[in-house]
Amino acid sequence: MNEFVISSGHAKIVRGANGYLDEVNEARKVVPTIAEFLKELDCKVHTFNDDTSKTQRDNIDTIVKYHNSKSRDLDVSVHFNAGTKETGGTEVLYYGDGNKALAAKVSKAISEALEIKDRGAKKRTDLGFLKGTAKPAILIEVCFVDTKTNADAYNKNFDKCCKAIAETLSGKKLKEEAKPVEKKSVLHKVQVGAFSDEKNATKLAVELKKKGYSVSVVKG
């Protein structure tokens, strides 16, 4: 899959779930971040947030209309869940059986990235987004907004979560950022006997320390 349409759930006016996290606000952070990672993986991405709808019906129709107006391989809607404060977890909803495997992979990837329960792929035939989009589609429930451990895990691992989603959707791996090489502390000794006097040895030691060396002045 190389081309995607990704939208945030609900709308600016038609709000979603609220708790430790606000569903609409967070979905609007997740969508562009996933998109940027997908672009790094040479995928084409269209993103959408509904800022105009005033009713739930209009909201679904507006989102579906945008998705169906674009060329793409997969439709993705980003949501956050609510209702099980004790356990929480992530799950991915799908409509057609052909999307079950992908839904399960995305759910597992998010679960591992956030270190929260994997509720898995769940078939839903009653959701307007999944029924209305003409291409294969999944609806991601990132985590539960009313479960504190979920919210904390999400805030801590936001980028990791978005990367996991992008990699799973594209089937490609992002390049790992190069880690800085840790300089080993090496003790260098400057012997006074190698100089005309101790003052010159000390002067050299100071200059070496400025360059990051660990230096001591010894007689001999």
Side-chain angles (χ1 to χ4, degrees):
M1 294 182 181
N2 296 311
E3 193 165 355
F4 305 87
V5 178
I6 307 177
S7 60
S8 58
H10 303 285
K12 187 175 182 179
I13 300 171
V14 185
R15 309 296 292 185
N18 203 345
Y20 297 104
L21 302 169
D22 181 283
E23 180 177 13
V24 170
N25 293 346
E26 297 308 321
R28 290 176 179 228
K29 295 176 186 176
V30 171
V31 167
T33 307
I34 295 173
E36 286 306 310
F37 287 134
L38 284 171
K39 289 173 184 176
E40 287 182 32
L41 293 166
D42 298 321
C43 297
K44 187 173 182 180
V45 190
H46 309 277
T47 62
F48 181 71
N49 300 316
D50 181 2
D51 292 333
T52 60
S53 295
K54 296 181 180 180
T55 68
Q56 186 176 8
R57 182 69 263 169
D58 286 345
N59 173 230
I60 297 299
D61 290 344
T62 299
I63 291 174
V64 168
K65 182 179 179 180
Y66 180 85
H67 279 259
N68 286 337
S69 72
K70 302 297 180 182
S71 170
R72 77 280 189 205
D73 300 303
L74 181 72
D75 290 310
V76 181
S77 182
V78 176
H79 288 249
F80 285 72
N81 224 331
T84 59
K85 297 181 181 180
E86 294 78 14
T87 57
T90 186
E91 62 189 33
V92 179
L93 315 180
Y94 68 96
Y95 180 78
D97 290 337
N99 303 320
K100 182 178 180 180
L102 176 62
K105 287 180 182 179
V106 174
S107 184
K108 184 174 184 290
I110 296 171
S111 169
E112 292 176 350
L114 297 183
E115 297 181 3
I116 61 175
K117 181 179 179 179
D118 180 9
R119 297 166 63 87
K122 296 186 183 297
K123 186 173 183 177
R124 292 286 297 272
T125 59
D126 58 330
L127 300 179
F129 171 78
L130 295 177
K131 290 169 63 178
T133 44
K135 292 289 185 177
I138 58 173
L139 189 153
I140 299 171
E141 298 278 11
V142 178
C143 67
F144 279 71
V145 299
D146 51 359
T147 302
K148 188 176 186 304
T149 53
N150 275 205
D152 290 344
Y154 164 78
N155 286 326
K156 180 181 177 182
N157 300 292
F158 176 82
D159 278 350
K160 188 177 179 182
C161 174
C162 295
K163 285 180 181 179
I165 295 171
E167 289 181 339
T168 308
L169 292 179
S170 66
K172 304 175 185 177
K173 286 289 184 182
L174 288 154
K175 293 180 181 178
E176 290 190 19
E177 295 179 6
K179 296 181 180 179
V181 179
E182 184 179 348
K183 292 182 180 179
K184 294 183 178 180
S185 178
V186 180
L187 179 63
H188 295 269
K189 296 180 180 180
V190 178
Q191 291 184 317
V192 173
F195 296 85
S196 58
D197 57 43
E198 187 173 339
K199 183 183 291 185
N200 288 332
T202 302
K203 184 177 179 181
L204 175 61
V206 170
E207 291 302 315
L208 288 171
K209 285 180 179 179
K210 289 180 180 179
K211 295 182 178 181
Y213 292 97
S214 180
V215 183
S216 65
V217 178
V218 296
K219 293 184 179 181

